Amino acid sequence: MTAVASQVPSAQTSTQRLPFAKAITEGLRAAMRRDEKVMLMGEDIGALGGVFRVTEGLQAEFGAHRVVDTPLAESGIVGTALGLSMRGYRPVVEIQFDGFIFPAYDQITTQLAKMHYRSQGRLSVPVVIRVPFGGGIGAVEHHSESPEALFAHTPGLRVVSPGSPQDAFVMIQEAIASPDPVLFFEPKGRYWEKGPVDLGVEPAGSADTLNRAVVARPGTDVTVVAYGPTVATALRSAEAAAQEGVSLEVIDVRAVSPLDTATIVQSVKRTGRCVVVHEAVTYLGLGAEIAARVTEQCFYELEAPVLRVGGFHHPYPVAKLEHEYLPSLDRVLDAVDRVLAH
């Protein structure tokens, strides 16, 4: 994969407190102002502004030829975006809900992911597919899925998920700037949580920051690895653990694929303990991959087995039970207690 832009502060910065969703809106707006080849496609994204209003106001500003309402046909939307990208456009597709991405699964994994390799590098397909994913909104199956591992398993796709409004603003612009297809998983349960966003930060330069994990909170006793919706859960767990004198280091993975293993390993070699947290089903999920890599590279530094906290091997439950299904502060702290007990 090719390197993309780095985050650099501009000379003029402007920090606002924005909801997660509106941080993405501002990122889309900035990318569309920067490049007239950036266009948005999806169901009800124009006049309505999308189910979650992420694209609200963009059709009025950029016109219906750049913010396109499409038929209810996910495979056709992604296929059209693929063709447009081969003609020099940078389409950004919105999948209305995570569970509706599966009709487009074939287009994404067998066409979009392979076009660069299949053409021996002659073709780039800079398509971004935005996917509101995860639970926490009181919805049922098809509206609260976490399918990121399915796409991370496919070579040729970048799979990323921001954990904060600031990252949402910058990472969506980096995803659009990428020459590779990007699955951009947005934690919809966090859409209305506000945080500081410096609108003056622009993607620029040559470093591939889109793939880089970050230390969201430094600590010394246990490394907690998370991404997307569980970053906030991990940070709240760290606050609670600190009240009892336990120091958790929280790593925000940010990119599910390719995975920045070095940042995780560097942390675990200092703490000796690791807990991985995600909403997706634990069985064969990203936690298994991280646990394997940590075990391979930190075997002599580990003080305890790597533990995973995630969804159960069960279809997403009804709304009244989702709080039992999703990783909670108590489940994370229980795993922390277990690794500290070794």
Side-chain angles (χ1 to χ4, degrees):
M1 292 192 174
T2 308
V4 293
S6 63
Q7 301 173 29
V8 295
S10 66
Q12 295 182 342
T13 61
S14 175
T15 300
Q16 302 179 16
R17 284 188 62 80
L18 293 176
F20 209 112
K22 293 306 176 186
I24 298 171
T25 308
E26 293 307 315
L28 292 170
R29 177 177 284 112
M32 296 183 77
R33 287 177 176 172
R34 187 180 300 117
D35 184 353
E36 63 179 11
K37 293 294 187 181
V38 177
M39 58 178 296
L40 313 184
M41 304 169 59
E43 299 158 2
D44 299 323
I45 68 167
L48 182 66
V51 172
F52 297 102
R53 306 296 187 268
V54 172
T55 56
E56 189 171 41
L58 297 181
Q59 190 181 68
E61 180 174 349
F62 296 102
H65 65 296
R66 293 186 65 190
V67 181
V68 181
D69 276 321
T70 65
L72 303 179
E74 285 79 7
S75 180
I77 298 169
V78 173
T80 302
L82 171 60
L84 285 166
S85 70
M86 293 164 64
R87 298 289 293 178
Y89 291 90
R90 290 184 175 274
V92 181
V93 169
E94 177 180 294
I95 299 296
Q96 200 168 67
F97 280 93
D98 33 37
F100 302 158
I101 197 171
F102 297 110
Y105 186 79
D106 178 61
Q107 284 284 2
I108 296 170
T109 59
T110 68
Q111 305 299 330
L112 196 60
K114 295 179 171 61
M115 192 58 68
H116 185 74
Y117 181 80
R118 184 180 297 150
S119 66
Q120 297 182 329
R122 295 185 181 91
L123 293 175
S124 293
V125 284
V127 176
V128 176
I129 301 177
R130 296 181 38 241
V131 189
F133 87 121
I137 63 169
V140 294
E141 62 174 338
H142 306 317
H143 296 75
S144 299
E145 310 284 352
S146 297
E148 61 272 21
L150 295 176
F151 296 99
H153 190 70
T154 301
L157 298 175
R158 291 176 185 262
V159 182
V160 305
S161 183
S164 69
Q166 180 68 62
D167 263 358
F169 171 70
V170 176
M171 286 174 66
I172 187 63
Q173 296 180 71
E174 292 175 337
I176 293 170
S178 169
D180 305 308
V182 179
L183 274 293
F184 194 83
F185 282 94
E186 302 169 2
K188 60 177 175 287
R190 311 287 185 201
Y191 265 158
W192 300 277
E193 293 184 4
K194 290 185 177 181
V197 179
D198 185 349
L199 298 176
V201 176
E202 299 178 356
S206 58
D208 193 350
T209 57
L210 189 60
N211 298 344
R212 191 176 304 158
V214 297
V215 178
R217 176 186 173 111
T220 56
D221 295 329
V222 179
T223 298
V224 179
V225 181
Y227 59 90
T230 55
V231 172
T233 307
L235 290 172
R236 285 198 290 268
S237 301
E239 288 287 343
Q243 301 298 317
E244 299 180 359
V246 177
S247 175
L248 305 185
E249 177 150 295
V250 177
I251 303 293
D252 180 357
V253 170
R254 298 171 81 248
V256 173
S257 179
L259 182 66
D260 178 7
T261 307
T263 299
I264 300 170
V265 165
Q266 186 178 35
S267 174
V268 176
K269 283 189 173 181
R270 287 190 294 100
T271 65
R273 295 173 172 84
C274 181
V275 173
V276 187
V277 187
H278 55 63
E279 288 191 9
V281 172
T282 304
Y283 181 68
L284 294 179
L286 185 68
E289 178 68 26
I290 293 174
R293 294 192 185 196
V294 167
T295 302
E296 289 170 355
Q297 299 185 41
C298 305
F299 184 78
Y300 293 105
E301 287 86 2
L302 280 173
E303 301 288 345
V306 180
L307 296 186
R308 294 166 289 161
V309 180
F312 303 107
H313 203 194
H314 184 282
Y316 199 84
V318 295
K320 289 183 178 179
L321 294 177
E322 69 176 351
H323 64 282
E324 302 288 350
Y325 178 86
L326 295 171
S328 64
L329 183 146
D330 286 341
R331 287 178 60 197
V332 174
L333 292 181
D334 176 69
V336 168
D337 287 343
R338 288 157 57 199
V339 297
L340 285 171
H342 279 267

